[in-house]
Amino acid sequence: MTLNSLNKKYDIQDLLKIMAQLRSPDEGCPWDIEQTFETIAPYTIEEAYEVDDAIRKKDMPALNDELGDLLLQVVFHSQIAAEKNLFNFDNVVSAICDKMIRRHPHVFADAHYRSAEEQTSAWEAQKAVERSTKADHVPSALDGVPTNLPALLRAFKLQKRAARVGFDWPETIQVLDKIQEESIELVEEYQKGTNRAALKEEFGDLLFVMANLGRHMKLDPEECLRSANIKFERRFKEVESKLQEKGIKPENSNLAEMDALWNIVKAEEKQDVIAEN
């Protein structure tokens, strides 16, 4: 197959043909040919994060490109599956269309919901029914939370699922008390300094309950940590810039100097905020 890209408007069929040729044993790309579901999966996750990054930056040209990269991942997996006679791209499209119609009876049938919350409950109930029909499935309130989500996000979702069946503290102050309890246990284990496995467990418990606090406060812990990462990166780069103005590299500075510059950067940011308002 020869595709001339000059002024051509491509469609999904072209993309499917391109991927088929890339995977062709006779005339394909060696790298593409050797890929599997497992080797491609990390790229799929990476592309989803790059879509998210473009949206957060409000970079629409980048979003256009990144959505294409993400679509390529769907086509790539579908091509591998087709070669193994498992399913193909048309099956993927048909399955998601069927699922969306089935899960939106208020749009495609005659169901009626009084609120977004009622619709969400119906959505979750429908998903539970679908999961229960799978062979050898033992129902659980935690069904459907992917194991490969980022750990903080998965903690948030697990706690949200458990809360739906009443396994939750009724008051936020109780979560704050639990954080204090877990913090004390972590300090105690750290002071012992002998059992790394126990220290790891206590640290995990503290992170887990912190995610639960975010849920109680209606804060997305993943989003909060992402914002904290961005803030840290921005401020540290400003510290590096101020050191560079002095002709000093960070590795040739010391904590006291860098901490003082950090405080200056924080104060400058606050002044900028005040000026903007």
Side-chain angles (χ1 to χ4, degrees):
M1 179 185 68
T2 301
L3 291 174
N4 181 3
S5 63
L6 185 62
N7 299 322
K8 178 176 174 57
K9 297 293 185 181
Y10 295 108
D11 58 27
I12 188 63
Q13 294 303 318
D14 290 317
L15 181 56
L16 293 170
K17 291 176 182 176
I18 289 170
M19 180 50 65
Q21 182 167 339
L22 288 172
R23 292 276 300 178
S24 170
D26 299 324
E27 55 183 1
C29 167
W31 185 89
D32 289 276
I33 293 169
E34 71 180 18
Q35 300 312 306
T36 65
F37 291 129
E38 291 76 14
T39 61
I40 290 298
Y43 295 100
T44 307
I45 296 170
E46 181 181 334
E47 295 300 350
Y49 276 118
E50 290 183 1
V51 166
D52 178 72
D53 187 55
I55 292 171
R56 293 177 186 280
K57 292 177 179 177
K58 295 181 170 55
D59 188 339
M60 294 303 104
L63 178 58
N64 179 80
D65 288 342
E66 298 302 344
L67 285 172
D69 291 342
L70 186 57
L71 176 59
L72 177 65
Q73 295 300 307
V74 177
V75 169
F76 208 145
H77 285 287
S78 299
Q79 177 62 33
I80 295 174
E83 294 165 5
K84 296 176 179 293
N85 294 316
L86 299 173
F87 58 82
N88 59 32
F89 183 77
D90 287 344
N91 298 140
V92 172
V93 173
S94 181
I96 190 59
C97 288
D98 178 71
K99 183 185 293 184
M100 289 299 98
I101 292 171
R102 187 173 64 250
R103 291 186 178 177
H104 292 82
H106 56 297
V107 176
F108 301 105
D110 56 1
H112 298 283
Y113 301 127
R114 290 169 294 183
S115 65
E117 290 77 12
E118 187 175 329
Q119 178 188 340
T120 299
S121 296
W123 174 280
E124 293 298 336
Q126 175 62 33
K127 289 199 293 185
V129 170
E130 292 170 8
R131 287 192 293 266
S132 68
T133 61
K134 295 181 179 179
D136 302 322
H137 176 73
V138 179
S140 168
L142 305 181
D143 284 343
V145 181
T147 58
N148 60 347
L149 284 175
L152 190 60
L153 177 59
R154 187 162 192 266
F156 183 83
K157 287 184 175 292
L158 287 171
Q159 292 157 0
K160 188 175 180 180
R161 289 292 183 88
R164 287 179 184 152
V165 294
F167 192 72
D168 191 19
W169 284 290
E171 303 293 337
T172 302
I173 189 63
Q174 294 171 293
V175 187
L176 290 166
D177 290 341
K178 186 64 175 177
I179 288 175
Q180 186 175 20
E181 175 189 326
E182 295 294 352
S183 298
I184 291 172
E185 291 178 1
L186 177 62
V187 171
E188 290 175 348
E189 202 58 55
Y190 174 73
Q191 289 174 338
K192 293 177 186 177
T194 55
N195 191 331
R196 294 294 298 177
L199 183 63
K200 179 181 178 181
E201 181 177 345
E202 296 299 343
F203 186 68
D205 289 346
L206 181 57
L207 289 176
F208 191 82
V209 74
M210 284 298 299
N212 206 2
L213 177 64
R215 184 179 61 82
H216 271 261
M217 292 183 167
K218 301 189 185 310
L219 297 171
D220 182 339
E222 192 77 19
E223 173 64 28
C224 292
L225 185 56
R226 184 183 291 111
S227 296
N229 288 341
I230 292 171
K231 180 172 65 176
F232 177 84
E233 183 178 22
R234 181 182 68 245
R235 288 179 177 177
F236 187 77
K237 286 181 177 179
E238 277 297 312
V239 168
E240 289 178 313
S241 178
K242 291 183 182 299
L243 285 172
Q244 187 175 20
E245 291 173 2
K246 296 181 178 183
I248 303 173
K249 294 182 178 180
E251 55 268 31
N252 296 327
S253 181
N254 55 62
L255 178 58
E257 182 178 31
M258 288 191 284
D259 193 46
L261 291 174
W262 179 274
N263 290 329
I264 291 173
V265 170
K266 284 177 60 178
E268 290 175 347
E269 286 187 358
K270 289 181 180 179
Q271 289 300 318
D272 290 341
V273 171
I274 293 172
E276 290 176 0
N277 295 331

